[in-house]
Structure formats: structure tokens, C-alpha cells
Amino acid sequence: MGILLGAVPLYADARTDARIFRDAAAVANNYVYFTVFDDIRAAVDDGVVTLSGSVTMPYKVKDIERLVAKVDGVRSVRNEITVLPVSQFDDDLRFRIARAIYGNPSFWQYATQPNPPIHIVVSRGQVTLTGVVQSDVDRMLAQSLASSSSAFSVKNELKTDAEMRTALTRNGIER
């Protein structure tokens, strides 16, 4: 009779990738310099966290990596976060779109949150909206407001609450 070690954690505090993901996401979302103009994504495989996305300032890349590396259960961090190019046009576009979206009465409930859920990523005049909204109506309104700016293009990657819950459940993160 043999012992199947792969089926049982080798130590009592073994953490699942889902738990590591939740904790890493909380750390990134609570990073003091994380703004609506940054977008961080994470994936976890056997304790290895892969970070991707874009941030507005170079120091954020290493700060976020350092914070995520401290999460219990993280074996290593692969950092693929990119820094958005410096551009006055992009900065102006970010602020115009943020004012249009978060200044709209339909989005005031989002604007009052400590970490507003709609992120506006601008690179060379190309806009990508990311994050989570309550409904398809909110998703389409946010795109419409962003499209009324002088952006070269607007890509809408916003997810509804229901879509996000489904994706998290499918990936074993929420039950």
C-alpha cells in the first residue's frame, strides 16, 4: 500500500490558489496609489501569481509586486505589468473621461466608493474601460460617455456584477 502525497497538502497551512487570488486581489485593490487610471489583473497557478495590466507610474509596478509577494501562500510573482506612456494628451483624456463618467448622476453611487470600480486606461489616445458595473445599461452608458471624448478609440471590457460572479465561480474563487 502506497501513500499518495499529491492528494494531501504537505503542510497544515496549505492555501488554495483561489484563496491566494482573493488575498492578492485585496492587496492590489487596497494599494494606496492604485487609481481609476490603473488596471491590474492577476492569475494564480500553484502559488505562482502572474500580474498583468497597466499602471500610470513606474514605481507602482514594483510596489504592487512587493505587496503581492507578501501574501501568505505565494511562492513567486511573475510581474508582467506595463507602464503607460507619458503623454499630456492621454492625461487630459483620462481626466475628461473620468469627469464625464463619475460626474454623471447614473454613476454617483460608483464615484462615492473608496475604490471606484470603473477603470479608464489610456494609451496613446486609445481608451479601454475595465472593471465591474451593476448592469448592461451602466456598461453601455459608460462607453457612450467615454466615446464622446476625443479618444481615437474606446474598447469596453466592463463586466456586470452577474458576469463577474459567474467567472469567479467558474474559476473556483467564489462559491
Side-chain angles (χ1 to χ4, degrees), residues 31-47:
Y31 172 57
V32 69
Y33 299 111
F34 187 64
T35 72
V36 297
F37 306 125
D38 301 312
D39 179 50
I40 301 296
R41 297 166 193 238
V44 182
D45 184 23
D46 196 26

Side-chain angles (χ1 to χ4, degrees), residues 15-161:
R15 293 170 51 92
T16 66
D17 285 345
R19 182 69 184 168
I20 294 168
F21 175 84
R22 281 193 299 272
D23 291 350
V27 165
N29 283 327
N30 291 321
Y31 172 57
V32 69
Y33 299 111
F34 187 64
T35 72
V36 297
F37 306 125
D38 301 312
D39 179 50
I40 301 296
R41 297 166 193 238
V44 182
D45 184 23
D46 196 26
V48 177
V49 179
T50 302
L51 298 172
S52 60
S54 303
V55 293
T56 55
M57 301 298 285
Y59 66 87
K60 294 178 182 183
V61 175
K62 286 295 181 191
D63 283 357
I64 293 169
E65 177 182 355
R66 182 178 42 78
L67 292 168
V68 168
K70 292 179 182 178
V71 169
D72 188 31
V74 171
R75 293 187 316 120
S76 66
V77 178
R78 286 188 7 206
N79 193 339
E80 299 173 0
I81 300 171
T82 60
V83 178
L84 295 165
V86 176
S87 163
Q88 187 62 47
F89 177 76
D90 285 357
D91 285 344
D92 291 344
L93 192 54
R94 285 180 188 102
F95 290 112
R96 273 198 312 277
I97 294 171
R99 275 193 300 275
I101 291 174
Y102 287 115
N104 185 294
S106 296
F107 294 103
W108 286 351
Q109 78 274 13
Y110 298 116
T112 60
Q113 295 179 24
N115 186 3
I118 301 171
H119 290 256
I120 304 154
V121 179
V122 181
S123 180
R124 296 180 174 90
Q126 312 284 326
V127 176
T128 303
L129 299 176
T130 66
V132 181
V133 292
Q134 293 175 354
S135 67
D136 281 324
V137 171
D138 287 351
R139 177 178 22 214
M140 298 313 296
L141 180 56
Q143 180 173 355
S144 176
L145 292 167
S147 296
S148 66
S149 67
S150 55
F152 299 137
S153 69
V154 176
K155 184 176 180 183
N156 191 343
E157 293 182 0
L158 290 168
K159 305 283 186 231
T160 64
D161 285 331

